[in-house]
Amino acid sequence: GDVASPGVDQVYGTNGAGVRGWKPDPGGGGGSFTPAIFQGRKTNGGSWPNAVTVVDFNTVDFADAGFSESAGTVTIGSVLNGKRVEAFAQCNLRDGGNRTQLTLNLQVNAATVLRNQNYATRNTTQDHGGLQVGPYIFLATTSDTVRIQSERVGGAGTYDTLGCIFSVKQVED
């Protein structure tokens, strides 16, 4: 018969004879999803280039199987072929007193899929607080590449510093 708490990995339904009740979950139920994750950080203490620049990470916090990284470009390995993957970045640029525009481009296979930009005010020290791109979710194939490209336009200030986090992770289907 029916019980309020049938235990783990049970589903409610009918059996082959049409009798209602709790039965073992044929899919195993209760399983946990552990995504593959890449996460990198970039910090610099000097001048950020006044140009289009791929953000190359000086710290890789996580690089699970399924991802490799070189010069700021994350490559998706065969273990994630056909899986849904999410990419996200957030950056802060501290402007050292010049009017500066910061644009972030999220690129998949060198094509910009998302873009965001903002400005600092002229002659003030101001943060471009939390400029982000993403999340962007796509169906990955082996050797897809994902990267963040920054475009900084404005006076070259020696006090401009950039801090970024970038994550690429598998998401549950």
Side-chain angles (χ1 to χ4, degrees), residues 79-92:
V79 69
L80 295 174
N81 187 43
K83 305 291 184 186
R84 289 178 355 126
V85 171
E86 174 187 282
F88 172 84
Q90 180 170 339
C91 297
N92 293 300

Side-chain angles (χ1 to χ4, degrees), residues 12-70:
Y12 190 81
T14 58
N15 64 16
V19 178
R20 293 178 302 192
W22 293 99
K23 60 184 181 176
D25 183 353
S32 62
F33 171 72
T34 305
I37 296 175
F38 170 87
Q39 185 169 323
R41 286 183 284 149
K42 172 68 176 182
T43 54
N44 76 310
S47 181
W48 187 246
N50 198 11
V52 176
T53 307
V54 173
V55 178
D56 192 359
F57 310 102
N58 49 6
T59 303
V60 174
D61 294 313
F62 306 104
D64 288 336
F67 298 104
S68 61
E69 184 267 338
S70 176

Side-chain angles (χ1 to χ4, degrees), residues 120-137:
T121 305
R122 183 180 300 277
N123 297 324
T124 61
T125 300
Q126 180 176 345
D127 288 329
H128 294 272
L131 184 62
Q132 68 181 42
V133 286
Y136 179 76
I137 298 174

